[in-house]
Amino acid sequence: MVQAKNSTLEQSFNSIREKAESQLRSFQESHIPKISIGKATCGLAAGAMETHSAFEEALGEQRVEAIIKSVGCIGHCYAEPVVIIDHPDSGFPPIFYPQVTPGKAKMLVKSYLVDGDPLFEHMLGAMEENDTIPFVMDYPRFNQEERIVMEKCGLIDPGDIHEYIAYGGYSSFVKALQLTRQEIIEEVLSSGLRGRGGAGFLTGEKWRLAGNMDSPDKTVICNADEGDPGAYMDRTILESNPHQLLEGLAICAYAIGAKRAIVYIRAEYPLAVETVIKAIKEAEELGILGKNILGTSVDLDVSVFHGSGAFVCGEETALIHSIEGKRGMPRYRPPYPVQEGLMGSPTVINNVKTLSSVPSILKKGAAWYRGIGTEKSPGTAIFSVVGNVLHPGLVEIPMGVTLRKLIFDICGGIPAKKRFKAVQIGGPSGGCLPEDFLDTPIDFDSLTQAGAMMGSGGMVVMDEDTCTVNIARYFLDFTQKESCGKCTFCRIGTWHLLTILDRITKGEGSDGDLERLETLSQDVKGGSLCGLGKTAPNPVLTSLRYFREEYEAHIKEKRCPAGMCRELIAYYIDLEKCSRGCDACVGSCPVEAVFTTKERKKGIDQTLCVKCGECMSACPEEYNAVVKVSPPEKAPIVPRPEATNDKNNGR
Amino acid sequence: MSDQISTEDKKRIQEEEEAMAHDIAVSLRAFDKERTSLIPILQMIQEKYHYLSLAAIKLVADHLDAAPCEIYGVATFYNQFRFNPPGKHQIKVCLGTACHVKGGGIILENFERKLGIRYGETTPDREFSIDRVACVGCCALAPVAIVDEKVQGHMAPSKVEGLLLGYQIEKDKEERARQKNGSSKE
């Protein structure tokens, strides 16, 4: 009986797969040039739509035939808009072009597609090994990465289920359908996969607990309520490879015996919502999701819930409340959602990256997965590295790689010959680590030990011009606004922390402020129910621990050593260096604070200045006359000439 | 803010809201009278009319048989919902981590100063509104502002002025064209 069921299952899937494979083969083997444009949110923001229209226009003008393919995001933010051109008849392999503006697009059509010159000066590298063009996998930004979740991101069309299937997609789900539920859970458990949402709970254990619950009405929720203000890997995965997530979701649902699955996506991610809804529809049309999946008796109804933008809804009980139409406030656990979740039924909530890792684990086996990363944290981690690095973007690395390797080797280090100062890991819940920790391996336990945490995977690299007090204040301002207000310590405690930090960054700090910050932080940690409050003081505590002298400079000397806190700095113009007759800074000032002195040089009216630094960037390099000082009293006072005598005053 | 709105504007807003209420009452029929429909309903209204008016909240409360304050309580909890009509040109300033490090706050401040409103507000002539948003995902272009859905990368205070000036010039042009048409008809 089981045999018969399995053979019809395989038959129906094989016919889908064969069709998909032949479709892909004929696409790959055709001689028509293929232009892949990265069109996830980040690409669109950088102008991918304009690039797309420029390609279309140029192809029309030059009367060349080519296929323009929309793909997701490859994770190389610094290179957006990214275009990969595969021109089989040119003799060159597919080529990766970064920063393709509309002008560059037109040039590429003319030079490469018409005249056969691939424009070496504009390419980043080739996508395959060859003799003429450097292979991108030889670059550190590529070859140090190990991509499991993001393997196909930016290479396949997220809107085409057939392409995903042709590359082996949904075969793990078909394999899972032929296993028993215990076998799947056992496999995930022994792979050691830990939840990528931040806390690092064993995924297999969560599934086992939910699987053991005796209930006809179970739910799986994919948590895509990514709220960290500097992390966007979940969105990229949803926009670039939605089917991989749906496959993981379907495997989980089958393993725990759920008939309903919900993808909870922030409404601020309209493209991700649209992409996932389309992917669900495609999968249902092929019979891979929905009723009687692939001819079996398995049903799975997948829907999308639009999250309404509340950071605290990343917490699982708060997320459930928001689906139930309530204020998204967390509740006390236990009972855990696996016992009593959505509408009281057992619910498994997994992060996007966790579920997206599942298909590969089933395909290649738990032992393979255990072989990547460290013993206690197997697999890969995805970081969105932003801030002062040369090559910002999404990076997927095996767990256990050191911070130094990630920041300096993979992401190119600090630009403009500045010095590395600190790295903030885990967004608003994480911590700020100094140079001494650069050799810390990245995994759940080492980071927690250092005072930071894996968290959302947001990583901000700071150079010497970034003030750690200011960054701590920034994250606290965020968590304070996002606190749901349920626990007193989180609601009022974070507000007081923020007030103290505000004072310090404005130069109004007083003795005892640091001690107050420390005690209050501990109290907020201890007196809050959910992760938001428990981790909100982390940025303050770690920066206090590692950069105490910076806090002290703010309080005792009223000075911001990094020159970032605006109340503690001043700009002035060095009259020795300022050139007569140059007006560059005058027009740049948004508040007309720059005036002309009697010697026809420039001065800054400190009472009007808003300290935006525009004059400093406007001042021509050969003069370099604008100086930033801290504390502000250091700036020499240049008197403004009397307005009555000079009509052209200030101009 | 409210004292800046003239009685004429107030009347106009009231008329608009009445027409809106009628439409909303019709579209509400498609939703189950269950609490789980609440957020989808609010999202539907926000998407259609770009904000939740008091009248709309009362209608939703009636539909779900709940107190308006309860509905208002849920709606205000979430960042997505706004309670005043947005401006014709919507300005969103990114204050994600990367933009903050590169001075996104200065950009927000410049928009606020030039337009004379705070974030979350709309200018009295309903031309502009300012909002702050978390990371839009193009950190390499930081600091970033989104004006009418178009991303403006590498923002600077002088660029803020330029952008607003551009809209002003366009508006003046339209105004002149309208006056010209009006006078030619007379």
Side-chain angles (χ1 to χ4, degrees), chain A residues 36 69 71-72 74 84 127 151-157 163:
Chain A
S36 304
K69 181 176 158 190
V71 295
I74 199 163
I84 296 172
M127 299 301 285
E151 191 191 352
K152 289 274 172 282
C153 287
L155 301 175
I156 62 169
D157 180 355
E163 191 168 5

Side-chain angles (χ1 to χ4, degrees), chain A residues 140 182 205 223 238 332 384 391 447 487 518:
Chain A
Q182 280 69 33
E205 182 64 18
N223 183 352
L238 295 172
Y332 184 73
S384 53
H391 295 149
L447 287 182
C487 310
E518 268 162 341

Side-chain angles (χ1 to χ4, degrees), chain A residues 4 19 41 88 97 103 137 188 202 226 244-245 286 344 351 417 426 455 492 501 529 531 542 587 631:
Chain A
K19 199 182 135 210
T41 300
Y97 293 97
M137 289 309 284
V188 175
L202 269 179
E226 194 174 40
Q244 182 176 255
L245 167 74
L286 286 183
N351 177 269
K417 292 185 182 159
I492 302 173
L501 284 174
L529 191 58
T542 47

